[in-house]
Amino acid sequence: MPLSEHEQRMLEQIERALYAEDPKFANTVRQTNPQVHYKRRLVKASFGFVAGIGLLLGGMVFQAVPVSVVGFVIMLVCALWGLSGWRRAAGSASVGADRGPKRQRPGMMDRFEERWRRRQEGEH
């Protein structure tokens, strides 16, 4: 939904006030790309995963079960964190992709409504 002329002027005034008040912050916000954030998250999760592997193996070598468990938990958390960043980065990249509407199978209520509509129209 496009902004009205009044709303557009108000937004421009707010932007000018932001630039006048804190130009460094305004430039940072304007240049931020969400994919950069998700890729950074993926890199951090990768380093955490490798650190978890190190703890897991170190705990096994020195027969320290709690260290191995902590390493495994770190690996699991970092893997989930990295996957969520990867999905979001891939999802934001495909936002502009030209896709048709998703086709969903009709649910139970949709089928019931269709049958009811046909009965009301006299179709059997």
Side-chain angles (χ1 to χ4, degrees):
M1 180 174 179
L3 297 175
S4 69
E5 289 181 33
H6 176 69
E7 292 170 333
Q8 191 68 33
R9 283 192 304 265
M10 297 271 298
L11 182 61
E12 289 171 2
Q13 287 176 354
I14 292 170
E15 286 177 356
R16 278 188 253 127
L18 179 62
Y19 273 109
E21 185 177 316
D22 193 356
K24 185 178 178 183
F25 174 72
N27 281 332
T28 303
V29 170
R30 183 176 232 181
Q31 295 173 355
T32 301
N33 182 359
Q35 277 194 333
V36 172
H37 172 70
Y38 297 131
K39 288 178 183 177
R40 194 174 298 142
R41 178 190 288 185
L42 187 59
V43 169
K44 289 177 183 177
S46 299
F47 284 128
F49 189 82
V50 170
I53 289 175
L55 284 174
L56 179 70
L57 293 176
M60 291 174 64
V61 167
F62 296 113
Q63 297 178 351
V65 175
V67 174
S68 295
V69 170
V70 168
F72 178 76
V73 169
I74 289 174
M75 285 173 50
L76 183 64
V77 168
C78 288
L80 294 174
W81 192 42
L83 283 175
S84 72
W86 182 47
R87 285 182 183 159
R88 288 184 179 177
S92 64
S94 66
V95 167
D98 197 16
R99 289 194 218 170
K102 282 189 175 181
R103 293 187 58 186
Q104 295 179 347
R105 290 182 54 192
M108 182 178 70
M109 290 304 293
D110 293 330
R111 290 192 307 267
F112 285 154
E113 289 174 3
E114 180 64 24
R115 288 179 189 163
W116 179 258
R117 185 188 60 76
R118 278 192 252 147
R119 285 186 190 143
Q120 295 300 320
E121 292 175 353
E123 299 173 18
H124 291 286

